Amino acid sequence: MEERDILAPVDAALKLFAVNDAATQAASRKLMVKALRNLEREPSNEKFRKLRVANKVVQAKIINVRGAQQLMACGGFYNKGEFLEALGEDCAVKAKTVADALEKSDGTFKVKALLAHAACVRGVAVDAQGFLATGALDNVVRLWDGKGQLVHELRGHEKPAMADGGVLAVALMENGGRVLSGGRDGRLLAFLRDASAANCYVGHGEPIDGQARPTNAQNVSCVACEGDLVLTGSWDRTVIKWNVTNDAPGTRYGPFPQSITGICILQGGAKCAVSIGDGTLACFDPLQPPPSTLWTSDDAKGAPMRGCCSAAGCVGTASNDGLVRLFNAETGSLIRGARTGAEGYLYAVCGSDDAIYAGGEDGIVTKFHAPSLQVALRVPQPAAVWSLAVYGPHLFCGLDDHFGAVLWTNNATEALEGPVATSIEASCHEAATKAALLVPEPVLEGAAARASNQGAAGGEVSMGGTPPPPPNPNYDFSFPVELAGRPGLQINWNRGDDPNMVAIQFCDDNGIPRDQLGDVAVFVQNVMASQS
């Protein structure tokens, strides 16, 4: 029997095995690999050809573990009642194949490549061919091959007047199509992959229904594509559908309640879910003219969402309250939620057919099984995580500051060796120390996972009023904040600042509970709109 004939059922068994918690998997994997390696080395040794089913260790680590018996059968061990017994002349070949697969799929991520940028990487993307794209706050987009080697550097984004520049999102069209990027300059750029040309699309930031144009409303915060369908979301509270093939005019959807923070395309383009800054999740049909809203969920309102994704046929989200949530893609009903258990805010989320990943301020990426939301493992990073993508055995993380992006793999044969990998792993020490102390919290079912909208302890926060004279000369905006028992508070920010980051800084500096973040961010946005 050839190896490829064994691997198909092994892959199915591994997926079943992966639903177990991390500790169960580790203990079971260790015993199975030991038994399979013994059989591989000495297939004629009778003591290595049988495992007694009644043995307590075998019961606990194989018989009672989902997927373990299937894996052992793929490796030549069949349940014959009293024993798991190795049968067939090719059992040594089978044992080696399954042992190799188990060791490669142990869930431990190793560094595969470092993808350098001089600034925070706010967008990462990958296509079916394994090509990678990164976009950073230095206004640079880079295209990489599957080994992390630079293919092209793509430039075209500019610094807007009176605000910081930067690329906030990237995407890769299928079959070698264009590299897409959205930035703070309000542009969607569609680069040819050979870097020979780029089309520029502008439309975000225009006034809506006669309302004042918010400051920095042009920011393109997210980009998604599937086939020829290209969508962008913006701080102007709208989503635009673009045709980058024939340059037809864009179609605008919205306005939504607040800034768009994430987009995911569902069911081959028949649906699109958008995460919104006030914690609302909405779904519309991008193949129909607006308005084409299918459903809206307010279950997480009050906890600003930082992104959304497709995971296990559901819509997954990550919010500032530290919760990952799953919503029914058909109805928008909240299914369940789970905390990463780590400190700080979540900035990024991505999903696959059987998992959802979330990372943020603390530099820890948490993998949850989906749809159960049981914690599978944690992957420490060298810095805060701002963007995520996952494909096959790879985890792709866009990081803060000068770290660039790191491509991780759980295939040991692909792992990078040498000083670069050693240095990156050493830089993960602080996050790894925190991760080792985390204990999975109970999954919150249904209504228990709704966002808490209760007032802050000690009194409600009241934003605004007349700016105190004289204004703080170091900031463009200065406003008083009234909080019971806390006189004299003031919120300050500059033109071009991210309202969410202003709210985070203000709440953290003044010990204000984070369930007030939504109100603070909305106030900042409204002031920006009224003063533009």
Side-chain angles (χ1 to χ4, degrees):
M1 179 175 289
E2 296 186 10
E3 182 177 352
R4 65 173 179 271
D5 298 320
I6 305 170
L7 285 177
V10 171
D11 288 342
L14 283 171
K15 288 184 178 180
L16 182 60
F17 183 66
V19 305
N20 300 291
D21 62 71
T24 299
Q25 287 188 56
S28 179
R29 181 181 286 107
K30 184 177 180 180
L31 178 60
M32 287 192 290
V33 169
K34 180 180 179 180
L36 292 165
R37 291 300 187 202
N38 285 339
L39 181 61
E40 174 197 347
R41 286 190 294 268
E42 298 184 51
S44 61
N45 190 331
E46 283 300 318
K47 74 175 183 179
F48 293 148
R49 297 182 67 90
K50 292 183 179 180
L51 297 174
R52 189 177 295 276
V53 169
N55 182 284
K56 291 183 178 180
V57 175
V58 174
Q59 279 282 325
K61 298 182 179 181
I62 296 179
I63 304 301
N64 295 330
V65 176
R66 293 189 66 184
Q69 285 196 73
Q70 289 89 334
L71 285 165
M72 292 298 283
C74 293
F77 283 94
Y78 297 89
N79 193 328
K80 306 303 289 183
E82 185 178 357
F83 295 100
L84 291 178
E85 187 172 349
L87 303 176
E89 295 180 357
D90 58 355
C91 61
V93 175
K94 291 181 178 179
K96 180 184 185 306
T97 300
V98 176
D100 287 347
L102 279 166
E103 289 179 340
K104 289 178 182 179
S105 66
D106 69 354
T108 302
F109 280 93
K110 300 292 185 182
V111 176
K112 181 176 180 179
L114 174 65
L115 287 64
H117 271 278
C120 175
V121 176
R122 295 292 290 269
V124 295
V126 62
D127 66 10
Q129 288 73 46
F131 281 94
L132 312 166
T134 52
L137 294 185
D138 56 6
N139 271 333
V140 175
V141 176
R142 288 183 173 141
L143 181 67
W144 315 78
D145 66 18
K147 296 181 180 179
Q149 299 297 311
L150 182 64
V151 176
H152 289 296
E153 184 170 280
L154 309 170
R155 293 179 178 267
H157 286 283
E158 299 178 351
K159 181 182 182 299
M162 302 181 68
D164 292 330
V167 177
L168 301 180
V170 293
L172 290 168
M173 298 187 72
E174 297 173 0
N175 302 318
R178 293 178 180 259
V179 181
L180 307 173
S181 63
R184 287 175 172 167
D185 57 2
R187 297 177 173 183
L188 168 68
L189 296 183
F191 297 93
L192 294 178
R193 293 215 182 185
D194 63 4
S196 61
N199 290 350
C200 177
Y201 303 89
V202 179
H204 283 296
E206 299 301 320
I208 301 171
D209 299 334
Q211 301 177 19
R213 179 188 183 278
T215 302
N216 291 327
Q218 79 283 348
N219 285 4
V220 178
S221 56
C222 44
V223 180
C225 61
E226 185 159 331
D228 292 333
L229 177 64
V230 175
L231 300 168
T232 56
S234 170
W235 282 18
D236 68 0
R237 301 182 292 129
T238 71
V239 173
I240 297 181
K241 178 175 70 175
W242 307 93
N243 191 322
V244 300
T245 303
N246 59 24
D247 293 339
T251 303
R252 187 186 301 271
Y253 295 83
F256 295 92
Q258 203 176 314
S259 301
I260 306 301
T261 60
I263 298 176
C264 68
I265 298 173
L266 309 167
Q267 299 178 1
K271 293 182 179 180
C272 171
V274 292
S275 57
I276 303 170
D278 66 350
T280 304
L281 183 68
C283 183
F284 67 93
D285 183 349
L287 303 183
Q288 298 298 322
S292 59
T293 302
L294 300 173
W295 51 259
T296 301
S297 172
D298 294 329
D299 284 323
K301 190 171 183 179
M305 286 185 182
R306 304 306 290 264
C308 61
C309 66
S310 176
C314 306
V315 180
T317 66
S319 301
N320 275 356
D321 60 1
L323 256 71
V324 169
R325 294 178 174 89
L326 282 181
F327 295 81
N328 186 303
E330 297 295 329
T331 65
S333 60
L334 178 59
I335 301 171
R336 61 182 56 90
R339 298 186 184 279
T340 63
E343 298 177 352
Y345 301 102
L346 297 178
Y347 296 152
V349 65
C350 69
S352 66
D353 289 341
D354 57 6
I356 184 169
Y357 298 75
E361 186 177 6
D362 57 9
I364 300 172
V365 176
T366 301
K367 176 185 177 182
F368 298 88
H369 294 301
S372 70
L373 291 190
Q374 297 289 337
V375 173
L377 57 88
R378 304 185 197 274
V379 188
Q381 303 295 317
V385 180
W386 280 95
S387 48
L388 285 171
V390 62
Y391 68 106
H394 302 102
L395 177 64
F396 193 19
C397 303
L399 305 177
D400 204 358
D401 297 329
H402 61 282
F403 285 98
V406 177
L407 180 62
W408 300 84
T409 179
N410 60 25
N411 184 342
T413 63
E414 295 182 340
L416 181 68
E417 296 181 355
V420 173
T422 302
S423 176
I424 294 171
E425 290 169 359
S427 299
C428 299
H429 175 74
E430 181 179 351
T433 301
K434 294 178 182 178
L437 299 175
L438 296 178
V439 177
E441 299 184 26
V443 174
L444 304 173
E445 296 291 341
R450 297 186 66 183
S452 171
N453 294 306
Q454 302 302 312
E460 297 290 336
V461 175
S462 176
M463 305 298 302
T466 303
N472 190 319
N474 297 317
Y475 296 93
D476 296 327
F477 301 99
S478 296
F479 287 85
V481 178
E482 299 175 6
L483 177 63
R486 298 281 302 280
L489 295 183
Q490 185 170 340
I491 185 170
N492 309 296
W493 73 92
N494 288 315
R495 188 171 284 105
D497 287 349
D498 182 335
N500 283 319
M501 298 308 294
V502 173
I504 288 170
Q505 189 67 49
F506 173 75
C507 290
D508 284 356
D509 286 349
N510 294 284
I512 295 174
R514 290 178 174 179
D515 58 14
Q516 300 291 333
L517 273 175
D519 292 338
V520 180
V522 169
F523 170 75
V524 174
Q525 284 192 322
N526 289 340
V527 171
M528 286 181 171
S530 66
Q531 307 253 339
S532 58

